[in-house]
């Protein structure tokens, strides 16, 4: 049980606007998430953390689709 638990990865989804007029703020958000990940050494407990980034394009429908793709 312990070996399986330690081998798991924790996936954290980041939704950000990466194109269009708000792209600079979205890139800053992604950089902030990566910085936080680095500050904690890329692990939570014994599990490695990976970030999954999806663009929302500042459109509600796009954000919904991006969120669904992170879940699947």
């Amino acid at each position: 049980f312990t070996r399986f638990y330690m081998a798991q990865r924790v996936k954290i989804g980041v939704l950000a606007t990466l194109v269009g007029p708000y792209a600079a703020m979205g890139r800053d958000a992604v950089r902030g998430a990566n910085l936080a990940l680095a500050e904690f050494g890329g692990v939570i407990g014994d599990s490695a953390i990976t970030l999954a980034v999806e663009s929302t394009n500042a459109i509600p429908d796009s954000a919904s689709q991006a969120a669904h793709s992170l879940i699947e």
Side-chain angles (χ1 to χ4, degrees), residues 6 13-14 19-20 22 26 29 45-48 52 55 59 62 64 68 71:
M6 290 176 59
V14 179
V19 297
Y22 304 110
D46 292 331
S47 299
S55 180
I59 300 169
S62 176
S64 177
H68 279 98
I71 294 168

Side-chain angles (χ1 to χ4, degrees), residues 2-70:
T2 303
R3 287 185 185 172
F4 174 74
Y5 176 74
M6 290 176 59
Q8 285 185 325
R9 297 183 76 72
V10 175
K11 181 177 168 181
I12 297 177
V14 179
L15 294 176
T17 300
L18 301 175
V19 297
Y22 304 110
M25 289 181 279
R27 287 190 301 270
D28 286 344
V30 172
R31 280 194 293 268
N34 281 312
L35 179 61
L37 183 63
E39 284 287 318
F40 289 97
V43 295
I44 185 166
D46 292 331
S47 299
I49 300 171
T50 58
L51 291 181
V53 179
E54 289 287 335
S55 180
T56 64
N57 301 333
I59 300 169
D61 287 339
S62 176
S64 177
Q65 290 173 355
H68 279 98
S69 73
L70 288 174

